[in-house]
Amino acid sequence: MKKQFNRMRQLANQTVGRAEKTEVLSEDLLQVEKRLELVKQVSHSTHKKLTACLQGQQGVDVDKKSKKLPLTTLAQCMVEGAAVLGDESLLGKMLKLCGETQDKLAQELIMFELTIERDVVEPLNDLSEMEIPNIQKQRKHLAKLVLDMDSARTRYYQSTKSSGLSSNLQPSGAKADHLREEMEEAANRMEICRDQLSADMYSFVAKEIDYASYFQTLIEVQAEYHRKSLELLQSILPQIKAHQESWVEKPCYGKPLEEHLALSGRDIAFPIEACVTMLLECGMQEEGLFRVAPSASKLKKLKASLDCGVLDVQEYSADPHAIAGALKSYLRELPEPLMSYELYNDWIQASNIQDQDRRLQALHSACEKLPAANNNNFKYLIKFLSKLTEHQDVNKMTPGNIAIVLGPNLLWMNNEGNITEMMTTVSLQIVGIIEPIIQHADWFFPGEIEFNVTGNYGSPVHTNHNANYSLVPSPDMDQVDRRQNDQSRRPLSVATDNMMLEFYKKDGCVSMLTICPHRTSEVPPQNKRS
């Protein structure tokens, strides 16, 4: 109690300037003292924020930490979902692979966080909560010892003055000896504490490179974690892509022709073969085929059915207009027309030739320039359309009528143009291209053709829609949601086809004599056959 009283009185005297204050730290150490508090604040805030970044619970074993990770929960959810869907589905396979990958990523994350806790978080906590506070605690203790020393010295000097001795003489007696011993002992304790504090402060300065290494470790551990995670993801990606590529069900609408054929292993696009074979059985006598617009809902359903590769032949055989609409939609939604952008000028130039024989020969040359995939499918389609015209007395679909409604879906310009302009000029030329090719299909493409290429389609009959249907799967089915193509750039829609017919109507029939002046019954000369 007496020592505490002496400290308080000495501090008060030093505050008001009535007593001398001893400075025991050098200027360098005073600067270190200021830096200690700043480093403590920065270390504390960094430790707090870094801890908040960790997803796992701190201070628990690996199993408990794993259960708390969001990645672990996600992995478990995916694996359970895969079990529900089964390995026979593509989504099931994807969920299983991704779930296993997420679980491995979670394990990598756990090891990363454990390393961060051990090598960064805990050292930062020790620095801000133990090492620096210990130095600051010593500094406070030194301040008390300095006050004790100053107080003892003051009392000793006061004793000297009261004895009447000169300042250069030492007081004598028991009291004076006691005061001198107390002053020397206080000075000795202060000196020991100051030396220890100075050593710790200098050590702090010397160890700053070690403290800085915590942050280097943080970046190194993060880099290693992300490196391992990237390697894990890159190792699983080929498996995921392999499952995607080996999956037999592929979308076809809006996809490039060659891509669809390559993925499905076909020569004729699935929608073309499926629609043509069905129309051969149930649509050849249908009046206005390809001209009459089908029910929008029925067309949408059929397109979706074709796109996922599961076709109810019996149901749609009762609605040939929906089948024809689905075929037109497939052709219209191709990213590039079946007759190709590259040959557009060749086709147009051929249609402008006035001489019939030369025009046919130019069209034939353009056909031969088509890529193999396009040529096969164009030949297949033309041969079917030629067969359709054999029933034109009943279905009213002459080569000219077919060319009007189907031609703009086979060839269009590689840019967006005015719809009216295309109807009146460009489309006229396209009709002039398609009509003679249909008229002389056997000259352009000699020989017979097997329409039921894959043999997957039987002979449907007209039945009531409430009857039981048999599903006929195709070899290129797909469950992946296909991306809808922007059809605004397509030259003509189903509704526009009817407008085209109105444009060409004359006395209740369609005349194409102004476009293709040669007689429709005329066959190209034998010497021009290829």
Side-chain angles (χ1 to χ4, degrees):
M1 180 66 71
K2 183 177 180 181
K3 182 180 294 187
Q4 185 67 24
F5 174 76
N6 289 333
R7 288 176 183 167
M8 293 178 62
R9 185 173 63 178
Q10 182 67 25
L11 182 59
N13 290 333
Q14 290 177 352
T15 303
V16 298
R18 292 185 298 182
E20 183 180 353
K21 181 179 180 181
T22 303
E23 292 291 347
V24 295
L25 295 180
S26 65
E27 185 64 29
D28 290 340
L29 291 179
L30 290 175
Q31 292 299 320
V32 173
E33 183 180 17
K34 294 179 182 179
R35 187 171 181 80
L36 281 169
E37 183 60 33
L38 296 176
V39 173
K40 178 183 177 182
Q41 294 175 4
V42 171
S43 300
H44 177 76
S45 61
T46 304
H47 168 269
K48 183 178 179 180
K49 298 300 182 182
L50 182 56
T51 302
C53 291
L54 302 180
Q55 299 181 39
Q57 185 177 352
Q58 285 188 271
V60 298
D61 58 32
V62 174
D63 291 337
K64 290 183 178 179
K65 186 185 288 289
S66 177
K67 292 178 181 179
K68 296 293 183 179
L69 283 181
L71 270 178
T72 304
T73 306
L74 174 62
Q76 183 178 359
C77 177
M78 286 183 167
V79 172
E80 291 174 354
V84 171
L85 296 176
D87 287 343
E88 66 277 4
S89 72
L90 181 61
L91 283 176
K93 293 177 181 291
M94 292 297 103
L95 281 172
K96 183 177 180 181
L97 277 174
C98 290
E100 293 172 349
T101 302
Q102 297 303 319
D103 185 64
K104 293 177 181 178
L105 287 174
Q107 298 305 314
E108 290 293 341
L109 180 59
I110 289 172
M111 298 309 299
F112 161 72
E113 292 195 351
L114 287 173
T115 305
I116 290 296
E117 287 181 24
R118 184 190 67 226
D119 296 342
V120 182
V121 173
E122 291 179 4
L124 279 176
N125 184 66
D126 291 343
L127 178 62
S128 61
E129 304 300 329
M130 294 179 61
E131 295 183 33
I132 294 178
N134 284 341
I135 296 176
Q136 292 174 329
K137 185 177 180 181
Q138 287 188 65
R139 181 65 180 94
K140 291 178 180 178
H141 182 60
L142 176 62
K144 293 178 182 179
L145 294 179
V146 171
L147 284 174
D148 290 343
M149 184 190 71
D150 288 345
S151 176
R153 185 175 56 192
T154 300
R155 285 183 279 111
Y156 176 71
Y157 287 156
Q158 287 177 347
S159 174
T160 302
K161 293 179 181 179
S162 63
S163 64
L165 298 175
S166 60
S167 58
N168 59 346
L169 296 177
Q170 297 295 328
S172 59
K175 184 178 180 180
D177 292 340
H178 175 72
L179 290 174
R180 185 175 62 255
E181 290 175 0
E182 184 178 343
M183 180 184 67
E184 292 174 351
E185 183 179 353
N188 186 52
R189 288 198 301 269
M190 183 275 296
E191 189 69 26
I192 294 174
C193 183
R194 183 183 63 180
D195 291 343
Q196 181 61 48
L197 176 62
S198 299
D200 290 344
M201 282 183 154
Y202 285 128
S203 177
F204 167 80
V205 174
K207 289 170 63 177
E208 183 163 337
I209 188 173
D210 295 332
Y211 303 141
S213 68
Y214 300 156
F215 301 99
Q216 178 182 341
T217 300
L218 171 63
I219 299 301
E220 290 175 345
V221 175
Q222 283 181 316
E224 182 65 17
Y225 161 68
H226 288 296
R227 189 180 300 112
K228 289 183 177 179
S229 298
L230 179 59
E231 290 175 357
L232 178 61
L233 293 172
Q234 288 178 331
S235 67
I236 203 66
L237 272 177
Q239 299 180 48
I240 291 178
K241 291 179 179 179
H243 280 299
Q244 293 273 31
E245 293 172 358
S246 64
W247 195 250
V248 296
E249 301 172 3
K250 296 290 190 301
C252 48
Y253 275 82
K255 300 295 182 181
L257 177 65
E258 290 189 358
E259 176 184 317
H260 164 60
L261 297 179
L263 291 174
S264 60
R266 304 174 63 92
D267 292 322
I268 305 301
F270 170 55
I272 295 179
E273 182 190 351
C275 292
V276 164
T277 50
M278 286 193 291
L279 289 174
L280 284 169
E281 295 292 341
C282 66
M284 305 302 281
Q285 306 282 332
E286 195 72 24
E287 184 175 345
L289 195 69
F290 291 109
R291 179 180 68 81
V292 177
S295 163
S297 59
K298 183 69 71 174
L299 175 61
K300 183 178 181 180
K301 178 181 176 182
L302 176 54
K303 288 173 61 179
S305 176
L306 289 168
D307 214 20
C308 74
V310 180
L311 182 60
D312 191 332
V313 176
Q314 294 286 49
E315 175 183 358
Y316 293 106
S317 65
D319 193 349
H321 292 295
I323 300 172
L327 177 56
K328 285 172 64 178
S329 292
Y330 174 75
L331 296 172
R332 184 166 56 246
E333 293 177 23
L334 285 172
E336 182 175 349
L338 187 61
M339 297 171 70
S340 85
Y341 285 136
E342 186 176 352
L343 296 176
Y344 180 84
N345 290 332
D346 290 25
W347 293 115
I348 297 300
Q349 290 173 7
S351 71
N352 291 330
I353 298 175
Q354 296 300 316
D355 181 74
Q356 175 185 331
D357 291 343
R358 289 179 55 233
R359 182 191 311 116
L360 290 173
Q361 192 63 51
L363 291 174
H364 189 278
S365 297
C367 282
E368 291 182 327
K369 293 179 183 179
L370 282 170
N374 297 61
N375 188 283
N376 288 338
N377 283 267
F378 186 58
K379 171 184 176 181
Y380 182 95
L381 190 61
I382 292 297
K383 296 288 267 188
F384 161 70
L385 295 176
S386 175
K387 203 170 191 64
L388 180 64
T389 62
E390 294 175 5
H391 305 273
Q392 60 184 280
D393 291 341
V394 179
N395 59 37
K396 310 301 181 185
M397 295 306 293
T398 65
N401 289 350
I402 295 174
I404 291 171
V405 297
L406 206 57
N409 300 298
L410 294 170
L411 181 64
W412 60 82
M413 292 184 295
N414 189 16
N415 58 9
E416 296 186 18
N418 181 276
I419 187 73
T420 304
E421 177 188 351
M422 286 190 288
M423 285 176 59
T424 57
T425 58
V426 177
S427 291
L428 291 176
Q429 293 174 301
I430 293 175
V431 171
I433 296 167
I434 302 300
E435 182 183 9
I437 295 178
I438 296 175
Q439 289 173 330
H440 307 299
D442 291 335
W443 179 75
F444 279 91
F445 304 107
E448 296 297 322
I449 188 170
E450 174 58 55
F451 290 105
N452 195 354
V453 180
T454 57
N456 286 334
Y457 310 101
S459 299
V461 295
H462 289 278
T463 59
N464 187 291
H465 286 307
N466 293 323
N468 294 323
Y469 303 127
S470 60
L471 298 181
V472 182
S474 80
D476 55 339
M477 297 182 290
D478 198 341
Q479 294 177 343
V480 180
D481 292 334
R482 65 183 177 83
R483 176 174 57 83
Q484 294 293 336
N485 279 58
D486 179 13
Q487 298 185 19
S488 61
R489 68 183 182 88
R490 299 298 184 237
L492 295 177
S493 66
V494 173
T496 310
D497 296 336
N498 292 330
M499 295 170 59
M500 286 291 295
L501 277 177
E502 293 297 328
F503 182 79
Y504 291 117
K505 274 184 178 179
K506 181 179 181 181
D507 299 328
C509 64
V510 179
S511 173
M512 294 303 299
L513 295 179
T514 58
I515 301 173
C516 191
H518 60 274
R519 296 176 57 190
T520 58
S521 60
E522 184 174 348
V523 179
Q526 293 294 324
N527 61 354
K528 293 188 181 293
R529 293 179 182 273
S530 59

